[in-house]
Amino acid sequence: MLDSATFPTPAQIVAELDKYIIGQHDAKRNVAIALRNRWRRLHAPLDMQREIVPNNILMIGATGVGKTEIARRLAAIADAPFTKVEASKFTEVGYVGRDVESMVRDLAEQAVNLVKQRRKEAVKAQAAQLVEDAILDALIPPIQGTGSSVVKPASVGFGGAEEMPQSDTELNERTRERFRQKLRDGELESRHIDIKVQQSNTPGIGLMGGQAGIDEASLAGLQDMLGSMMPKKTRKRKVTIAEARRILLDEEAAKLIDMDEVKDEALRLAENAGIIFIDEIDKVASSSVHKGGPDVSREGVQRDLLPIVEGSAVSTKYGILHTDHILFIAAGAFHVSKPSDLIPELQGRFPIRVELQSLTKDDFYRILKDPKNALTKQYEALLQAEEVELLFDDAALERLAEIAFEVNAEVENIGARRLHTVMSRLLNDILFDVPDKIGAHARIQITAALVDERLQGMVKNRDLSQYIL
């Protein structure tokens, strides 16, 4: 999408983010500019493209205020490969300093899947025709003939569409055409047929006694090489035509795709459009003035992350991926440590710093009402599946927002995730009673009085450990 001449402007990107994320305008503006700059770079003169590096972003804010959601939605807008990793993962026992490059390999995997999906969409019509022929062969196998016509010209009438066939070949062909039309009309979707599907024959390879000098990329490459050398196996499955269409469509589309081209395009896409989101970056910041103990491992992880963020060549099973122009977005709450506790070299690689604001009572109300994926809309959709109508009064939404805000203030501020706790407590009885006690076509109105009745214990009870996520 970055190659498109109609790539969204920063204002359009912010407007799209507003559909899902409430508030945090500074963060949205900065990520919108960073994303648009990626498009601008690809349309700059070639000699300057190599020099322009992305302005990586450090988001500072409490949990549940929208850091991860902003990054994920940003990647969706750009239709770009995206991967998320927790920096604290690299401080686990036995894991310190090992395989920090795995996040780049994950990005390469995402890019390959993205390009493969695009290519499959491009050959979908051609693959659908091949699938139709395969299903037809399973229903009415063709008669193997010599290829020459067995019908005499004199016996074929110009108006004889219903004329008796003069040979088995002609009868077979007419029957196949009738069934082809039935397939296209969807009349045979529930009929069962036998199909041959390819069986995975890639051997599982593991290592004992550590890595023994073989990294993850080499191991994956070895596994793929052995899998390609072994003969392909097929097995018969009895499935409905609808299921056969889905299975065979994927197989036929894969055959029409050149995987070498996919790998090359995917690596270019990951290098120029990829986004890596590093969460919990504050967990690897050295908060103590006394160096030693866990701070040593934290600083070691930072130094392992540094070359990846600065720009290096990482070996993946699809080839070498250069990280110079990947956009890195790091995030952390920084309750205990500060951004300045990160090593200076790593700080310098995240020049754009954005502080996300804690959510207010009004923000909670808008989160329940405005986004396209609001929790209220999700629960309405769940009950619609049971043909039950769920409605929320404005006063009820305001009361829910007030309770969520109060619980966050008194116990632990977990941001918008607190709304999941509140909504679950409010609606659990209703969700349990549908459809046994509350039948189809029922209409349930959530009022402020009902909210107070169901949730009064949450605010009055100071020991709220049972509600903490």
Side-chain angles (χ1 to χ4, degrees):
M1 189 174 175
L2 285 174
D3 295 331
S4 171
T6 57
F7 192 78
T9 65
Q12 290 171 337
I13 294 169
V14 170
E16 189 65 27
L17 291 173
D18 283 340
K19 294 178 183 178
Y20 299 95
I21 302 149
I22 298 300
Q24 316 301 358
H25 297 295
D26 285 346
K28 291 175 185 174
R29 283 172 61 90
N30 279 282
V31 297
I33 292 168
L35 189 60
R36 181 70 181 186
N37 280 348
R38 315 203 78 193
W39 179 87
R40 289 166 177 156
R41 173 184 164 267
L42 291 178
H43 291 78
L46 285 175
D47 58 332
M48 287 301 296
Q49 284 188 23
R50 292 188 294 272
E51 307 298 329
I52 300 172
V53 295
N55 283 336
N56 297 324
I57 299 169
L58 176 62
M59 293 185 183
I60 305 164
T63 182
V65 296
K67 302 186 296 294
T68 305
E69 190 67 12
I70 287 174
R72 186 177 286 116
R73 295 291 175 185
L74 191 73
I77 291 170
D79 196 19
F82 170 83
T83 190
K84 175 181 180 288
V85 64
E86 284 79 23
S88 55
K89 156 185 171 180
F90 303 117
T91 63
E92 293 172 5
V93 175
Y95 204 88
V96 175
R98 194 187 84 178
D99 210 18
V100 174
E101 295 176 345
S102 63
M103 60 184 179
V104 181
R105 297 193 187 102
D106 290 342
L107 186 72
E109 196 71 43
Q110 293 292 333
V112 167
N113 291 337
L114 194 61
V115 173
K116 196 188 297 183
Q117 193 59 40
R118 290 178 187 173
R119 294 290 182 96
K120 282 183 178 180
E121 286 296 321
V123 299
K124 193 173 181 179
Q126 187 179 352
Q129 182 60 50
L130 294 171
V131 168
E132 185 181 90
D133 291 339
I135 293 174
L136 201 59
D137 288 347
L139 283 169
I140 312 290
I143 293 177
Q144 300 296 329
T146 58
S148 58
S149 176
V150 296
V151 181
K152 296 180 180 179
S155 65
V156 179
F158 290 102
E162 299 302 324
E163 185 177 316
M164 288 293 293
Q166 301 299 309
S167 67
D168 289 343
T169 304
E170 186 183 358
L171 176 62
N172 178 263
E173 195 57 39
R174 286 191 187 182
T175 307
R176 282 172 63 85
E177 287 307 311
R178 287 197 184 97
F179 271 81
R180 187 187 297 275
Q181 190 58 47
K182 287 179 180 290
L183 277 176
R184 291 175 179 174
D185 294 340
E187 297 177 14
L188 307 174
E189 295 298 285
S190 58
R191 179 176 290 196
H192 284 76
I193 58 171
D194 290 324
I195 61 169
K196 290 182 179 180
V197 294
Q198 286 190 0
Q199 196 169 6
S200 175
N201 58 349
T202 305
I205 301 175
L207 290 177
M208 296 179 64
Q211 288 185 321
I214 301 180
D215 61 13
E216 186 181 333
S218 303
L219 188 63
L222 180 62
Q223 196 164 346
D224 286 349
M225 182 185 72
L226 290 176
S228 62
M229 291 170 61
M230 298 180 72
K232 300 291 183 184
K233 294 181 180 179
T234 60
R235 64 187 179 93
K236 275 191 175 183
R237 283 186 61 187
K238 193 175 190 68
V239 294
T240 62
I241 286 179
E243 181 70 7
R245 199 188 301 276
R246 184 187 63 80
I247 295 170
L248 295 175
L249 187 63
D250 196 55
E251 284 190 4
E252 293 297 338
K255 292 176 186 175
L256 295 171
I257 294 172
D258 186 337
M259 276 307 296
D260 289 333
E261 289 182 6
V262 168
K263 291 175 185 177
D264 291 342
E265 185 180 340
L267 288 176
R268 287 196 302 272
L269 183 67
E271 288 175 348
N272 295 300
I275 299 174
I276 293 181
F277 182 74
I278 307 175
D279 203 4
E280 298 182 352
I281 192 76
D282 56 317
K283 300 296 191 300
V284 297
S286 301
S287 57
S288 173
V289 294
H290 304 290
K291 301 299 178 185
D295 287 330
V296 173
S297 68
R298 290 183 188 132
E299 189 167 315
V301 172
Q302 291 183 58
R303 296 199 178 278
D304 287 330
L305 286 170
L306 186 60
I308 307 294
V309 181
E310 281 183 335
S312 58
V314 177
S315 174
T316 74
K317 69 178 186 178
Y318 303 109
I320 301 296
L321 195 156
H322 297 272
T323 66
D324 303 70
H325 297 101
I326 291 173
L327 176 64
F328 289 89
I329 302 176
F334 290 99
H335 289 314
V336 179
S337 58
K338 305 184 296 294
S340 57
D341 290 328
L342 295 169
I343 60 174
E345 298 92 336
L346 193 60
Q347 288 183 54
R349 288 296 166 177
F350 290 92
I352 309 299
R353 295 186 185 179
V354 183
E355 189 165 348
L356 283 80
Q357 305 302 315
S358 294
L359 299 173
T360 65
K361 198 181 305 181
D362 183 57
D363 288 334
F364 279 121
Y365 170 74
R366 293 179 59 206
I367 288 169
L368 285 169
K369 187 174 183 180
D370 293 344
K372 292 178 70 174
N373 61 338
L375 262 181
T376 51
K377 297 173 184 176
Q378 292 178 29
Y379 278 106
E380 287 169 6
L382 286 173
L383 287 178
Q384 275 179 5
E386 306 269 12
E387 298 183 15
V388 173
E389 187 179 8
L390 181 67
L391 300 169
F392 291 86
D393 290 347
D394 261 3
L397 297 182
E398 289 175 0
R399 187 69 185 119
L400 284 167
E402 186 178 349
I403 290 172
F405 180 77
E406 288 177 11
V407 176
N408 267 357
E410 293 183 7
V411 185
E412 183 75 26
N413 186 1
I414 59 171
R417 294 187 180 95
R418 181 67 66 191
L419 291 172
H420 288 271
T421 312
V422 173
M423 291 288 287
S424 177
R425 175 75 183 273
L426 171 67
L427 298 174
N428 264 0
D429 288 344
I430 295 172
L431 293 170
F432 186 84
D433 290 339
V434 174
D436 296 322
K437 293 182 180 178
I438 303 174
H441 310 298
R443 189 172 184 270
I444 301 171
Q445 188 84 28
I446 304 298
T447 62
L450 181 63
V451 172
D452 283 330
E453 178 189 337
R454 297 283 176 90
L455 302 179
Q456 58 182 346
M458 287 192 71
V459 182
K460 290 180 180 178
N461 186 4
R462 296 285 174 164
D463 181 13
L464 299 173
S465 59
Q466 59 180 315
Y467 304 119
I468 296 175
L469 295 181

